Amino acid sequence: MRWRVWLLLCCLLPACSTGPVNAPVGDRSRQPARIPSTHIVGQGDTLYSVAFLYGKTVEELAAWNGIRQPYTIFRGQKIRLAPPKTTALVRRKISPSKPKPRVSRAPKPATTSTVRPSQPKVTRPSATKPAAARPATRTGLVAGKGPPSWTWPASGKLIRRFDPRSTGKKGIDIAGKAGSPVRAAAAGKVVYAGSGLSGYGRLIIIKHNKDFLSAYAHNRKLVAKEGQWVKKGELIARMGSSATDRTELHFEIRKKGQPVDPLRYLPKR
């Protein structure tokens, strides 16, 4: 009889219990990356590459860190990524000084002196030095603040458009074959040529004027050298797959340090 009671209780207990409770799912949304307050200069870094990495202008970093042209930085140097905090200056009150009494002295007796006739001055013509000639500059390449005249940096198919919500590289991707030419999208000066920025592979950055930069990533070979002036459409690199899994050109345009949609500036094709 007892075993029947125990059997009945075993059948009733599961029915009285509540259903299974799922474990709470945490929020897996990606948080925006915070920009650190400083950057420690590593091997291959330049002030232009540091500014490009954090979305700043080289002029801002130079002003915040007291760096003058040609913007030379050193390995291990700490670069401030935000303007320094201004400290309040304490004004000292200066007590007015009491005027000192003047001591009057007795006048000296007048002395007689013989007056000599003045001789006429002979003026000689001064030899004027010729003005030093100013060094020639590459005018027309980096001038003004407006957008320069743009052209497409590669002739391949557009495979990825600009996405302002992306947390990674912000630009467009152009497909192509390994070794295909990569050309300067506008005239300017190559301010960075190397592979020191993670995720960009072999990268070239060109400064066009005070406001605009352009970047060319994942190259197989860099043709243009750092410090070289290039013309619009000039060969600067060969397309490749460095730091990516397919042959492509990643192209960016930066305005005042911030990425903008290149399709707003490139001609329609």
Side-chain angles (χ1 to χ4, degrees), residues 81-162:
L81 301 177
K85 296 180 180 179
T86 57
T87 56
L89 298 177
V90 179
R91 297 182 179 179
R92 297 181 179 179
K93 295 183 179 180
I94 303 175
S95 57
S97 57
K98 296 181 180 180
K100 296 181 179 180
R102 295 183 179 180
V103 180
S104 58
R105 297 181 180 179
K108 295 181 179 180
T111 57
T112 59
S113 60
T114 57
V115 179
R116 296 181 181 179
S118 59
Q119 297 179 356
K121 295 182 180 180
V122 179
T123 58
R124 296 180 180 179
S126 59
T128 58
K129 296 181 180 180
R134 295 182 179 180
T137 58
R138 299 292 296 271
T139 57
L141 292 183
V142 179
K145 298 181 180 180
S149 175
W150 299 96
T151 187
W152 281 80
S155 58
K157 180 182 178 181
L158 179 66
I159 56 177
R160 181 175 176 269
R161 293 177 176 269
F162 177 82

Side-chain angles (χ1 to χ4, degrees), residues 39 43-45 49 52-53 167-169 192 194-203 217-218 242-244 250 252 254:
H39 172 84
Q43 185 175 1
D45 282 351
S49 67
F52 184 86
L53 181 63
T167 57
K169 302 186 297 293
Y192 180 81
S195 55
L197 272 71
S198 177
Y200 284 89
R202 295 182 181 91
L203 172 70
H218 306 315
S242 58
T244 186
H250 176 75
E252 294 187 19
R254 298 283 181 102

Side-chain angles (χ1 to χ4, degrees), residues 193-214:
S195 55
L197 272 71
S198 177
Y200 284 89
R202 295 182 181 91
L203 172 70
I204 280 185
I205 301 176
I206 299 178
K207 182 179 179 67
H208 304 290
N209 55 30
K210 188 176 181 181
D211 287 346
F212 283 89
L213 295 172
S214 61

Side-chain angles (χ1 to χ4, degrees), residues 202-244:
R202 295 182 181 91
L203 172 70
I204 280 185
I205 301 176
I206 299 178
K207 182 179 179 67
H208 304 290
N209 55 30
K210 188 176 181 181
D211 287 346
F212 283 89
L213 295 172
S214 61
Y216 313 75
H218 306 315
N219 299 290
R220 185 179 74 176
K221 180 182 179 181
L222 303 181
V223 177
K225 306 298 182 182
E226 196 168 303
Q228 177 182 340
W229 295 87
V230 293
K231 298 179 181 179
K232 174 183 175 181
E234 185 174 344
L235 179 68
I236 58 172
R238 294 287 181 181
M239 193 179 296
S241 57
S242 58
T244 186

